[in-house]
Amino acid sequence: MVHSTPRAATGDPAHADPAAHEFDRDTALVPRGDATFDAVISGGWSVLGAVNGGYLKALLGRALSRTLPHPHPCTATAHYLSAPTPGPAVLRATVLRTGRTLSTGTVSLHQTGSDGAEVERVRMTATHGDLAALTDHVGTSATPPAVAPYDRCLALDAAGAPGALTDTPIVERLASRLDPDSVGWALGNPSGRGRMAGWFAFADGREPDPLSLLLVGDAMPPAAFDLGVVGWTPTVELTTHVRALPQPGPLCVVTATRNPAGGFLEEDAEIWDSAGRLVAQSRQLARMPRTAAG
Amino acid sequence: MVHSTPRAATGDPAHADPAAHEFDRDTALVPRGDATFDAVISGGWSVLGAVNGGYLKALLGRALSRTLPHPHPCTATAHYLSAPTPGPAVLRATVLRTGRTLSTGTVSLHQTGSDGAEVERVRMTATHGDLAALTDHVGTSATPPAVAPYDRCLALDAAGAPGALTDTPIVERLASRLDPDSVGWALGNPSGRGRMAGWFAFADGREPDPLSLLLVGDAMPPAAFDLGVVGWTPTVELTTHVRALPQPGPLCVVTATRNPAGGFLEEDAEIWDSAGRLVAQSRQLARMPRTAAG
C-alpha cells in the first residue's frame, strides 16, 4: 500500500470526471424516477468487516442532493437500522419542505434480505442549502487543533494498524494519516484520553466537497481505540453539520469522546480545511464493544 | 413571578399524577389508533413569540414512546420545517425497526394552515432504548462545569431579562437560574465567549425524566446572547443524546457555541443531574438573527 501526498486538484484532469474517483463511482446512483434510485454498495469502504457508516451516509446524501432543490447538506442525521451488505440497494427519497434558502428531505436505503423480503438499512433526514451563498461572516472561536503536519503524520499501515484492523479495506481508499500522538493504540499503548487527530485525504486525489464530508466524520479510527477499546463500535446515529465549502487539500480531523458510559459512547469530530476553516462538525452515538461495556 | 427552589419529588404527591404538571398536560396525546395522535400545542412554552423547539421535541418524543417497544429516547433528531402556532396538531408515528435493546421510529407533527391545507411542522427520528437496563459502567472524562450553586444563581427576571425577552412565557413555567457569569447579556454587557451556564428546573416541581431532557437542551437562553446577539435564533435541527436516567433535583446545564459563521451557528448543551452524571448531550444548528449574520 503506497500513501503518497494526495495530488492537488488544480491541474488534475481526473477531477473533472466524477467517475474517475473511487468515492464517486461507489456512490453512483441510477435514477428510476419518482425520487427512487438504484445503487451498489461497495465492499471497499468497510471497517472490521462492516460497511462504513460515513460512506453509507454519503450515498444517501447524494440521493437527497438529486431530489432537493438545494445542493449541499447543511445538517444530516442518519440512523443505522440493520447491517448492510455489499451489493445492490434501493434508495427512496421524499421532500418534506422546500424554502427559499433551505429544504429538507428524508431518504431510506433498502436491501433485499436473505429471505427475499426488503429490509431498511439506513434512514437519513437532512436539511440542504447552498453553501456558496452563505454570508462571509466567520465568528468561529474554536481554534484549529495542534496536529503535526501531514508529512510528519503516520499512514495507518506505518502505525502498525493492520494487526488490529483486519478486513478493513477502507484504509486502501484513503491517504489518511494519524498524528504520532494518536497511534499508541496500534502499539498496545493507548493514551487513555479518547482522542484521535490526523489528516483525511482520498488515496486517488479526489478533493473534498460537502458530500464527502459526510464520510470524513466517520472515517478516522474510533476515538475509543485511544481508550484501549479496539473493536467494532457500531454507529447508532450520526449527525453532520457541514458549515462551509472545503478548500482543496487534506482535511485536519480531530475526534474525541468524553462520555463513554452505560455501553454507549458519543464521538465528536471537527473537520478543518487547508484554509483553516472549521468546515464540518459531526457527532455520533455508538455502542461500545461488548467486552468493554462492563 | 416567584422562583422558589423547586420542590423535591420525594413526598410530592403531585408527582404521581402526570396531569398535575404543566409539562405533562401540555404534551398530552389523545391516541386515534394506528400510531396517530391528537395534541394541542400550548402557547405557554414560547420564546420571543415562537413555540420552543425543545417543547415540540418532547411532544413528538411522547408519541414515539407510545409507539415504540422501548420507553426512552437514546438519540432523537428533530428538523423544524415550518413555524407551529399554538392550537391543535396531529402527530403520526412510524416504526422503522425494532430490535432487542433498541428500536427506531419517525414521527411528524402537522397542523392545518390558514388555507385549510395540512402543513408539516416538525419531523423527528429517534432511537429508543431502556435507560434503566444499561450497564453500570461510567467512563465519563468530561468534568462537571463550574457553575455557582442554584441558590446563588439568578432567576431570569432578576437578571433583567424581561427587557430583552418579550413574549416569552416559558420563563414562567421554569424555575431556571443563570450563573452570575452568564447574565451580562441581559445588562448589555455580554462576555463574548458564547457560553451560558446555569440550572434548569420546572416551576411546578416536576422532576426530570428522559422525555423532559428533550426540552432542557433547548430551554436556556441561546448561547448567542452571550456573544451580544440577542434575538430569535430559529433552530434548524436539534439532536439530543439521552445517556442516563436523571436523578431528582435541578439540572446543571451549560450551552456553548464555537462556530458562529455564514449566518448559522451550532449550539452544544451538556446536561448534568444532581448526582453529577452527564445525563444528556445535545447539539443544534440554528440561524443567526439576520442583523448579526453579516
Side-chain angles (χ1 to χ4, degrees), chain A residues 14 20 46 77 83 86 89 100-101 107 116-117 132 141 165 177 188 191 208 230 235 247-248 250 279 283-284 289:
Chain A
S46 294
T77 293
R100 192 176 56 83
T101 57
V107 56
S141 62
L165 297 179
R177 299 270 176 110
S191 83
V230 180
T235 304
Q247 295 298 305
V279 293
R283 173 175 288 170
Q284 67 174 265

Side-chain angles (χ1 to χ4, degrees), chain B residues 6-22:
Chain B
R7 300 187 295 278
T10 318
D12 180 352
H15 192 68
D17 176 10
H21 293 294
E22 291 170 320

Side-chain angles (χ1 to χ4, degrees), chain B residues 48-105:
Chain B
L48 297 171
V51 180
N52 175 264
Y55 159 63
L56 291 167
K57 196 168 175 177
L59 189 60
L60 278 80
R62 197 181 286 282
L64 283 181
S65 291
R66 294 232 191 142
T67 305
L68 293 171
H70 298 95
H72 306 129
C74 292
T75 173
T77 293
H79 285 254
Y80 298 89
L81 306 174
S82 58
T85 50
V90 178
L91 294 91
R92 296 195 184 92
T94 306
V95 177
L96 300 181
R97 182 231 177 207
T98 58
R100 192 176 57 83
T101 58
L102 296 175
S103 53
T104 304

